[in-house]
Amino acid sequence: MTAEKRPTGAEPSIFIDEVHAHQARYKKIIQFTHSATKAAGIMLLAAIVALIIANTGVYESFEHAIHQNIGFVLGDTAYTMSISHVINDILMAIFFLLVGLEIKYEMTVGELTNIRQALLPIVAACGGVLVPIVIYLIFNMGNPDTVMGWGVPTATDIAFALGIMALLGNRVPIGVRVFLSTLAVADDIIAILVIAIFYGQTPSIGWLAAAAGVMVVLVLMNRSHMYSLVPYLLVGVVLWFCVYMSGVHSTIAGVLLAFAIPSGSRINLKGFIAWSDKKIRKAYEAYRPDEPVIGQKDYMREVKNLSAIAAQVIPPATRLEHKLYPWVYFAILPLFALTNADVHLATADPSAMLGSPVFTGVFFGLLLGKPIGILLFSFIVVKTGLASLPANVNWHHMIGAAVLGGVGFTMAIFVANLAFDNEAFIVSAKAAILSASTLAGIIGFLFLFVGARSDAKRGVLYVANPGEDDNMSVADAESRLSSMEVMETFGHADRAETKEAMESGDRSEVAVCIDAEAYRAHQGEEAEREGAR
């Protein structure tokens, strides 16, 4: 295939000429706030700022500020919570709500629907949990004060891991990203169970019963086909309060709420096609080109009706996931990193910290345990014939993905805060998490980059089927957008051939061989034009 220069935006715009520039800027903002790479960069920046604050003169003032109580008074009772607890108990519950929605998507229409297809990453996730636990316990089994930290090196930060992989774009097969994202989802499910069972306080039976009652209400709302998000969110607040008061960690409420929110549509999709076609014809007939739009009552009524119904076609779970994504990954997780990634070295003894069994257990659990467990269990599953490697994926790709599984960061820090009461142990765990996650990210990226370089020399790119599904996950949408941009560089015949290959084999991705030098020249021209803009 030969890359060619094609004008972008060839399709006619439905927007008036005067707002084209505004729409272009808005589109860039949307792409930025739904980018895994940008999200990982923002969180990394927040962690760096946290480390700087923790080791400068403003640390005490910052700690005092985030431990200030805020709240409200109801009657004679004051309900207060520190800013730090608001972030860890309330905002992180919203993060787990998004995690729950992503898990629900995968279980409904994603990679977890086909058990044979999902078997490889699920079993790999189990290996990526068990081996780090073994490694941690090797260093801490004889110490009752630190033994409960075994859950810390079991977590994978899906945002960071996928953000690092996204830097390589279409130079790695989509199967690698699907494997890692499905593994991280399975990993999240295990982490949620670990938090709920092992890292809460002694539960209050009364409040647990109240939480169960609220959950029954949510399930009944789902079963009675209630599709408005507002009632679910209001009852979800009550669920969060009951779980919080029960002693089980309150973030679990976010996951439970996610599974109660409908993933279907209240609209009869088949009937909507005919109905909307009728509405469009009526709007067309009512349109008066010479009359100001504000005065075209019939036209406005038809369009408003069409808009109101069309918005309800998208399932509530999908609408909420897309609304939460930028807030979670560009606000909540950076805030969490800013307030929790602090490693105060000024008063710490580096040799004692590095020699701590907590540090060594967490560090080697993430950096070695994760990839060894993931690869070992993957190898067993593949060699026994229970599953096969994804399309276009080889063991070199699997090594890179397995090492990226050791990027624990936010999830691991979250568990560390629950596992230890001793501040010195928490500092040691955080230092191990940050150092191991950094090394795992660099090594995993380099493994995949070397493979990508080899493919690039041969002119091989991996192109995902662009599709037309607005109900896909954010990560899938980003991958499809990248593939569309690549296919824009193909000639007409090559584009048609690529689409035919996807449709004939019902494949989500094909490996294409292009003129490498021509493609790189095109990429250089695009970069120059972007810089000029």
Side-chain angles (χ1 to χ4, degrees), residues 153-432:
T154 63
T156 296
D157 189 312
I158 187 171
F160 255 100
L162 292 181
I164 293 168
M165 186 176 287
L167 292 171
L168 295 167
N170 291 83
R171 287 174 288 179
V172 293
I174 192 174
V176 183
R177 185 195 62 77
V178 170
F179 170 79
L180 184 59
S181 61
T182 309
L183 180 147
V185 167
D187 195 282
D188 283 342
I189 295 173
I190 297 171
I192 289 163
L193 292 174
V194 167
I195 292 169
I197 298 170
F198 298 101
Y199 290 122
Q201 302 170 9
T202 303
S204 164
I205 301 302
W207 281 110
L208 279 180
V214 175
M215 195 63 205
V216 168
V217 172
L218 285 167
V219 171
L220 291 175
M221 289 166 61
N222 183 298
R223 293 296 184 183
S224 62
H225 301 287
M226 186 178 292
Y227 290 94
S228 173
L229 275 171
V230 175
Y232 287 96
L233 297 179
L234 292 176
V235 178
V237 172
V238 179
L239 176 66
W240 175 90
F241 183 76
C242 292
V243 173
Y244 176 77
M245 295 299 293
S246 74
V248 176
H249 201 274
S250 56
T251 52
I252 302 302
V255 181
L256 296 174
L257 174 60
F259 278 87
I261 294 174
S263 55
S265 174
R266 71 188 304 168
I267 304 299
N268 181 320
L269 301 184
K270 186 176 180 180
F272 175 75
I273 297 173
W275 179 86
S276 60
D277 184 57
K278 181 180 178 182
K279 284 292 178 182
I280 290 171
R281 286 200 304 271
K282 283 186 175 182
Y284 179 79
E285 293 168 359
Y287 177 61
R288 301 290 180 265
D290 298 328
E291 187 177 338
V293 66
I294 197 172
Q296 299 190 45
K297 294 182 180 180
D298 293 339
Y299 176 80
M300 294 287 284
R301 182 178 63 253
E302 299 297 341
V303 171
K304 184 178 180 180
N305 195 3
L306 178 62
S307 174
I309 299 301
Q312 298 178 58
V313 171
I314 308 299
T318 304
R319 295 202 308 269
L320 185 59
E321 180 187 350
H322 285 226
K323 287 177 181 176
L324 287 179
Y325 187 92
W327 291 103
V328 166
Y329 286 106
F330 287 85
I332 292 175
L333 288 183
L335 268 176
F336 177 82
L338 182 65
T339 55
N340 288 274
D342 54 321
V343 179
H344 191 46
L345 300 174
T347 58
D349 181 355
S351 59
M353 183 176 67
L354 296 177
S356 164
V358 172
F359 181 92
T360 51
V362 172
F363 181 83
F364 290 111
L366 284 171
L367 191 60
L368 296 181
K370 271 289 186 181
I372 290 173
I374 291 169
L375 284 172
L376 177 61
F377 278 56
S378 297
F379 185 80
I380 292 171
V381 170
V382 171
K383 290 305 177 182
T384 54
L386 295 174
S388 58
L389 293 180
N392 302 317
V393 176
N394 56 42
W395 284 106
H396 188 98
H397 293 130
M398 292 291 286
I399 293 173
V403 176
L404 286 179
V407 179
F409 198 53
T410 52
M411 285 293 289
I413 290 174
F414 186 80
V415 177
N417 287 333
L418 300 176
F420 301 114
D421 294 324
N422 187 302
E423 185 63 30
F425 293 155
I426 294 175
V427 170
S428 293
K430 287 180 179 179

Side-chain angles (χ1 to χ4, degrees), residues 513-526:
C513 188
I514 64 171
D515 182 335
E517 291 201 7
Y519 178 73
R520 283 195 291 270
H522 169 83
Q523 291 291 85
E525 292 173 5
E526 286 292 312

